[in-house]
Amino acid sequence: MAAGLLVGLAACTPQADETAPDDASQPTASECATAGPSSDAVSVTGEFGSAPTVDVTDTLAPETTEVTVLSEGEGEEVAEGDVVDLSYAILNGDSGEEIESTFTGEQTVQLLVDSASPVLAGLSKAIACATEGSRVVGVIPPVDAFGEAGAPDFGLEADQPLVFVADIVRILPEPLARAEGDAQDAPEGFPTVELDENGAPTITIPDAAPPAEYQEAVLIQGDGDEVSETATVTVHYTGINWNTGEVFDSSWERGQPAQFPTGGVIPGFRDALVGSSVGSQIIAVIPPELGYGPQGGTPDGGIGPDDTIVFVVDILGTAG
């Protein structure tokens, strides 16, 4: 099972227009979850970065989230409001059965540390105040997990605690608000792109037939991290149909960036992302076979099976 339990929490990045929590909202040593009889009773073997072997034999009945540091890293301390890149395994605290693990797919997941979250607040409490490079085990009572409802779809009843083993890989930098770097001219024949004062693009399609092959160009060259094939990215984008000149999707119009894995988009969009640097703005001209053509276009008819599409993408952040 691939990160189903955290689907609402994974890749949650604070929006660029949000203000960071002030110092009063940051966890202090007295507010951090601490070790207790339940977290100390969970046996975990294995090194940081490898799949843990977890043994739950004692009855676990924590009243609050407990966390035991198994190995302490030397990096920065995790604070409320941070977005953390981590690997984890989650188990049923009664049966000891694994619910899901990112270690099996050598994945990492991004989690917004929000100890006031109405769902799974215990995950945040278990990693807040730990340091980058640490492995921790947390035992999370129902009140800090799914409350009275439990999570029956994952085999977790309402009165059962969670066991959470996490490797805290790193604290992610805050994503950019827009592309930042050196502006570059697109090659001849590409659509023209004009940016408003906030960075939102207006795309004008040439009065010409679309190219038969995939094309991309860098409009702004950023100098941040390179997007890998397995990354989760934070982006702003606008998509326009070359054949009709109509915008069919735009995160700018929705007013907030989008987050998704590079493997979760059409091939042409993925190709524009992988290998590009954070801060860059990319324009990609995507023929039907690398877009929606293989699926016969989009269900609403906005993109036909023979339509070429264009994306202008600001790469604001990456992890994994």
Side-chain angles (χ1 to χ4, degrees):
M1 187 177 299
L5 194 61
L6 297 190
V7 67
L9 300 177
C12 287
T13 304
Q15 304 307 327
D17 59 351
E18 292 180 351
T19 56
D22 59 29
D23 290 341
S25 68
Q26 302 296 322
T28 65
S30 61
E31 296 169 334
C32 298
T34 57
S38 291
S39 62
D40 284 344
V42 179
S43 173
V44 182
T45 56
E47 299 296 322
F48 181 95
S50 64
T53 299
V54 186
D55 186 13
V56 180
T57 56
D58 293 351
T59 299
L60 306 179
E63 295 183 1
T64 60
T65 295
E66 299 175 4
V67 60
T68 297
V69 177
L70 302 171
S71 60
E72 187 169 3
E74 298 181 353
E76 296 293 320
E77 184 177 285
V78 176
E80 190 82 3
D82 283 341
V83 178
V84 179
D85 196 30
L86 55 83
S87 300
Y88 69 86
I90 296 180
L91 300 88
N92 184 308
D94 275 358
S95 67
E97 293 183 1
E98 185 176 282
I99 295 173
E100 71 181 29
S101 173
T102 64
F103 290 97
T104 55
E106 297 184 352
Q107 300 167 285
T108 59
V109 166
Q110 293 73 56
L111 177 68
L112 171 64
V113 180
D114 178 10
S115 60
S117 172
V119 179
L120 291 174
L123 302 189
S124 292
K125 294 178 181 180
I127 63 174
C129 302
T131 53
E132 294 170 305
S134 294
R135 168 168 285 190
V136 301
V137 56
V139 181
I140 301 167
V143 68
D144 279 347
F146 295 96
E148 296 180 358
D153 290 347
F154 296 93
L156 189 74
E157 302 300 327
D159 60 347
Q160 293 178 321
L162 286 173
V163 172
F164 178 60
V165 179
D167 285 359
I168 301 165
V169 178
R170 62 169 177 156
I171 301 167
L172 296 176
E174 186 174 346
L176 302 173
R178 58 185 288 182
E180 296 179 357
D182 296 328
Q184 301 184 161
D185 293 332
E188 185 177 353
F190 268 68
T192 59
V193 178
E194 296 184 359
L195 306 180
D196 70 13
E197 61 181 10
N198 296 318
T202 296
I203 306 166
T204 303
I205 301 297
D207 186 15
E213 304 295 330
Y214 172 84
Q215 297 182 358
E216 71 172 69
V218 178
L219 301 180
I220 298 174
Q221 180 61 61
D223 60 1
D225 291 345
E226 184 175 301
V227 177
S228 73
E229 293 183 355
T230 58
T232 294
V233 293
T234 301
V235 299
H236 254 320
Y237 67 88
T238 294
I240 188 170
N241 188 326
W242 183 300
N243 298 66
T244 67
E246 297 293 326
V247 172
F248 60 85
D249 193 10
S250 175
S251 65
W252 288 102
E253 291 182 1
R254 291 192 294 273
Q256 63 180 25
Q259 298 91 26
F260 45 75
T262 56
V265 294
I266 58 172
F269 201 158
R270 178 204 61 212
D271 292 347
L273 295 170
V274 175
S276 298
S277 300
V278 171
S280 297
Q281 182 180 82
I282 309 296
I283 182 171
V285 181
I286 303 173
E289 63 270 18
L290 295 178
Y292 296 97
Q295 292 80 38
T298 54
D300 63 2
I303 302 172
D306 299 319
D307 287 348
T308 292
I309 57 177
V310 178
F311 278 105
V312 173
V313 187
D314 285 17
I315 303 174
L316 309 179
T318 185

